[in-house]
Amino acid sequence: MKKVLLASACLLALAAPASAADLAARPYTKAPVAPVAAVYNWTGFYLGIVGGGAWENASGDPKMKGGFVGGTAGYNWQTGNVVFGVEADGAWADVSATAAGVVFVPGVGGVPASLTSKTDAMGTVRGRIGWAVNNVLFYGTGGYAWIDNKLTASLGALSVSDSKFHSGWTVGAGVEAFFAPQWSVKGEYLYRSLGGETYFSGAIPTGTLNFHTVQVGVNYHFGGPIVAKY
């Protein structure tokens, strides 16, 4: 019996360290997943709407001023943080000014007279180059600009009109940012300089028409800008 007790005691002594080691073990747990952040790439085609205000850069009055609304189409290429793009826009406009006075007609007397200049359409075709900070793009832009302008001369109840297409150039800058997948909003300033034209068969020549314009737009980007996550 003594031998049995001694053998049992030896077995218990040997098993105790193994049990302690088992108790000390900890179950394996996965490391917490790092927060996911979207990485934006600006490459791709987009369509949008744009609207804003324009006012003539002139020293005297009356100055042409008003608003416009239209559409935009463009394409971007991104390499690193640099974004290149081309963009075209066209808009319906109501940018105008009227000079009024009185003309004395022999045998009739003073007759109200006026001359109105009104731009009813405008647009640009431009290049863009900018620096992207993830979902925000800061850019400069420049290129071709055009307007469709109409002069209306009135004398009393009589009036005549003539329309001309003015071409020129534009330069400006803006900032654009994604606020949702595939959707961005932008704010932009453009200076537009349009060459002069001659109205009414040479009777009224105009000088260069220069405009300041401030516009905002919303664009939809096809294909989605999110290309990677980390």
Side-chain angles (χ1 to χ4, degrees), residues 4-217:
V4 171
L5 289 173
L6 284 171
S8 299
C10 289
L11 287 172
L12 288 171
L14 290 170
S19 298
D22 290 342
L23 288 173
R26 293 288 184 271
Y28 172 75
T29 305
K30 278 188 176 182
V33 179
V36 176
V39 176
Y40 285 79
N41 187 294
W42 288 80
T43 299
F45 177 68
Y46 60 90
L47 291 174
I49 58 173
V50 64
W55 63 98
E56 188 179 3
N57 181 33
S59 56
D61 285 320
K63 296 178 183 178
M64 296 177 67
K65 58 185 177 180
F68 58 90
V69 63
T72 301
Y75 194 91
N76 291 318
W77 296 267
Q78 181 169 354
T79 173
N81 290 92
V82 179
V83 177
F84 303 89
V86 290
E87 183 174 288
D89 59 65
W92 294 275
D94 185 1
V95 181
S96 63
T98 299
V102 176
V103 173
F104 288 91
V105 179
V108 178
V111 178
S114 65
L115 181 66
T116 298
S117 180
K118 179 184 177 183
T119 295
D120 52 22
M122 62 197 313
T124 66
V125 179
R126 293 174 281 119
R128 299 201 309 172
I129 182 169
W131 184 264
V133 183
N134 201 13
N135 67 317
V136 180
L137 175 66
F138 303 91
Y139 63 89
T141 182
Y144 171 73
W146 61 268
I147 63 170
D148 188 11
N149 196 68
K150 180 169 68 175
L151 284 187
T152 301
S154 299
L155 181 63
L158 302 175
S159 66
V160 291
S161 297
D162 190 15
S163 295
K164 295 293 181 181
F165 191 86
H166 295 248
S167 293
W169 55 269
T170 183
V171 65
V175 60
E176 186 172 358
F178 281 103
F179 62 89
Q182 297 181 282
W183 290 97
S184 68
V185 61
K186 71 174 183 179
E188 191 172 67
Y189 165 79
L190 293 177
Y191 181 83
R192 310 180 193 221
S193 183
L194 295 309
E197 294 290 338
T198 302
Y199 290 76
F200 302 112
S201 302
I204 303 180
T206 68
T208 302
L209 297 175
N210 298 314
F211 291 97
H212 301 282
T213 61
V214 176
Q215 56 196 44
V216 294

